[in-house]
Amino acid sequence: DVKVTQSSRYLVKRTGEKVFLECVQDMDHENMFWYRQDPGLGLRLIYFSYDVKMKEKGDIPEGYSVSREKKERFSLILESASTNQTSMYLCASSSDGADLGARRAYEQYFGPGTRLTVT
Amino acid sequence: ELKVEQNPLFLSMQEGKNYTIYCNYSTTSDRLYWYRQDPGKSLESLFVLLSNGAVKQEGRLMASLDTKARLSTLHITAAVHDLSATYFCAVDMKGSNYKLTFGKGTLLTVNP
């Protein structure tokens, strides 16, 4: 089974702090994603990465950056946390299909989520 | 820009009844996914639909895909309380092999 883990389930930070959210997957997946989930807005993609050291902006990258130094780990960084970044953050990973075939390729597997509160 | 719309957003139904959740999307897509989320939990993959006419069934849930109409349905048969959850559909845009665009989700409550 695919396992995606996130460093914290709950996190409370103060405005202006630098915040690191870590995500690790154990299935050798090429692609990794960071989403935020807010009531009434669904899931919105912040950043994704399709290879080590590669990243692309999603729909709402402002105020965030990411780092992928190793294939299994994808970090989300809030450079200076603000109250409007209070949210549930979900990490996901997927294969590019080379070894799984089309049926399971690109299917995203999600971590348990980190509920971040910025005060 | 790919848009994904689900309806209804809220669904309250009685046990034993049938109902359908609809997912419309705006542009050509390679794949459509259905996920379930229990309160306070993460998303769990239910179905992956890969081609026009695809139908998948798991227990009381059945998902189908009509790529010409850009429509997927999630049909619930004889609902039970354990199906209470939020259901999301997600679509990836043709040519964009990595990114999913999610609908806003349907909060399903099954009452005894």
Side-chain angles (χ1 to χ4, degrees):
Chain A
D1 276 354
V2 177
K3 194 165 182 187
V4 181
T5 57
Q6 295 183 229
S7 50
S8 305
R9 292 300 306 273
Y10 300 94
L11 208 52
V12 179
K13 295 291 182 181
R14 293 195 182 276
T15 302
E17 280 193 82
K18 190 168 185 175
V19 181
F20 294 86
L21 302 183
E22 303 282 333
C23 175
V24 178
Q25 50 93 4
D26 67 356
M27 280 302 292
D28 201 35
H29 281 172
E30 291 75 19
N31 310 315
M32 296 188 74
F33 308 83
W34 275 106
Y35 296 89
R36 65 177 281 177
Q37 184 177 21
D38 300 288
L41 297 178
L43 276 79
R44 293 179 292 166
L45 181 65
I46 305 171
Y47 267 97
F48 69 103
S49 169
Y50 51 90
D51 202 352
V52 175
K53 297 191 187 295
M54 305 303 288
K55 60 187 179 186
E56 284 199 25
K57 293 179 181 178
D59 300 318
I60 50 163
E62 297 77 19
Y64 303 95
S65 61
V66 290
S67 172
R68 194 166 180 201
E69 297 295 320
K70 294 185 177 181
K71 191 175 185 180
E72 67 271 17
R73 188 179 298 269
F74 192 34
S75 302
L76 180 69
I77 303 152
L78 286 65
E79 296 290 343
S80 177
S82 64
T83 54
N84 64 11
Q85 292 178 309
T86 291
S87 187
M88 170 71 91
Y89 290 87
L90 292 166
C91 175
S93 72
S94 71
S95 165
D96 67 1
D99 56 341
L100 294 179
R103 292 186 67 81
R104 304 303 287 190
Y106 311 115
E107 182 178 2
Q108 292 188 17
Y109 296 85
F110 284 81
T114 296
R115 186 164 292 283
L116 172 68
T117 302
V118 182
T119 61
Chain B
E1 180 189 348
L2 175 58
K3 291 189 192 304
V4 181
E5 291 188 355
Q6 281 181 244
N7 71 84
L9 297 182
F10 300 94
L11 177 55
S12 181
M13 55 191 298
Q14 284 188 307
E15 281 191 327
K17 299 291 188 184
N18 305 331
Y19 210 83
T20 300
I21 299 170
Y22 297 89
C23 175
N24 290 90
Y25 54 98
S26 60
T27 63
T28 305
S29 171
D30 287 338
R31 287 165 289 269
L32 189 135
Y33 306 79
W34 283 97
Y35 286 88
R36 169 183 171 142
Q37 185 178 37
D38 292 303
K41 300 286 179 66
S42 191
L43 275 75
E44 172 192 355
S45 179
L46 291 174
F47 302 110
V48 181
L49 302 169
L50 298 175
S51 60
N52 187 41
V55 177
K56 295 275 186 77
Q57 182 158 8
E58 179 80 28
R60 300 174 188 274
L61 299 177
M62 183 173 72
S64 65
L65 179 62
D66 180 344
T67 57
K68 292 179 181 162
R70 296 179 186 162
L71 170 69
S72 179
T73 59
L74 181 67
H75 187 72
I76 302 151
T77 302
V80 293
H81 180 69
D82 284 353
L83 290 179
S84 297
T86 301
Y87 293 86
F88 291 92
C89 65
V91 177
D92 65 18
M93 191 162 60
K94 202 168 181 63
S96 169
N97 286 330
Y98 315 110
K99 299 195 296 183
L100 293 184
T101 300
F102 283 80
K104 287 189 166 52
T106 298
L107 176 58
L108 171 65
T109 304
V110 181
N111 302 304

